[in-house]
Amino acid sequence: MPAEQTPQEALAIVLEGREQALEKMEYWPWWYDAGYAAACALLVAGQGFPAPISIVCVTVAIAILVIIMRKWQARTGVWVNGYSPKRARWAAIGLGVILMGLMLLSIWAGRMQGLIWVPLLNGAVAAGLGVIGMRVWMRLYRIDVRSMP
């Protein structure tokens, strides 16, 4: 029969496991940034095109996100949704609001005004903001998790 653990020993094990998980999230491969940027670009730009093209853009973007999620989970053993914990949640919500605004602008300019260059420009902006937002989220996530009791 194993010896009883003290609460301090149990807490140390939990904290060590948490730190090991965070270390796996410290660096990510180029395909993560590229895939996330492409998904953001397709989601935003695709809204400005006619329905068949828009549907394909959204479908491909979701497929890219699923592939990223599965590959990341296989690589690190961890997957966290974008809405927890608190500080990281606000980074995800902020990025979502900005991308929604770009989507609406793409719909208005592309579908209603026929200015196809606007959705394309919005997609490029969304790609850059997606990568920046993801890195901000990751930094805040690590801060939040390390500050948990």
Side-chain angles (χ1 to χ4, degrees):
M1 177 180 248
E4 293 286 323
Q5 283 185 333
T6 67
Q8 292 81 10
E9 291 170 334
L11 180 60
I13 290 170
V14 169
L15 293 175
E16 182 181 332
R18 184 186 295 173
E19 199 56 41
Q20 287 174 353
L22 289 173
E23 284 175 13
K24 291 179 181 178
M25 298 172 73
E26 202 66 43
Y27 302 100
W28 50 89
W30 66 269
W31 54 260
Y32 195 106
D33 284 341
Y36 196 74
C40 289
L42 286 168
L43 286 171
V44 168
Q47 301 309 305
F49 300 119
I53 296 171
S54 179
I55 292 168
V56 169
C57 288
V58 170
T59 303
V60 171
I62 290 170
I64 290 169
L65 292 173
V66 168
I67 290 167
I68 289 171
M69 181 186 76
R70 297 229 174 161
K71 285 184 68 104
W72 184 258
Q73 194 171 25
R75 180 179 183 262
T76 65
V78 176
W79 181 260
V80 181
N81 72 46
Y83 300 106
S84 63
K86 285 185 181 180
R87 276 179 265 202
R89 175 183 314 140
W90 288 109
I93 290 170
L95 178 60
V97 167
I98 292 168
L99 294 181
M100 288 294 290
L102 289 171
M103 286 179 191
L104 291 172
L105 181 57
S106 290
I107 290 169
W108 177 80
R111 289 188 192 179
M112 301 169 107
Q113 304 299 316
L115 303 171
I116 296 303
W117 64 269
V118 174
L120 294 173
L121 178 62
N122 284 350
V125 169
L129 290 175
V131 171
I132 292 167
M134 182 249 321
R135 288 180 181 250
V136 168
W137 180 90
M138 195 73 85
R139 184 172 188 276
L140 292 173
Y141 176 79
R142 287 192 300 265
I143 291 169
D144 279 345
V145 170
R146 285 188 174 117
S147 68
M148 286 179 169

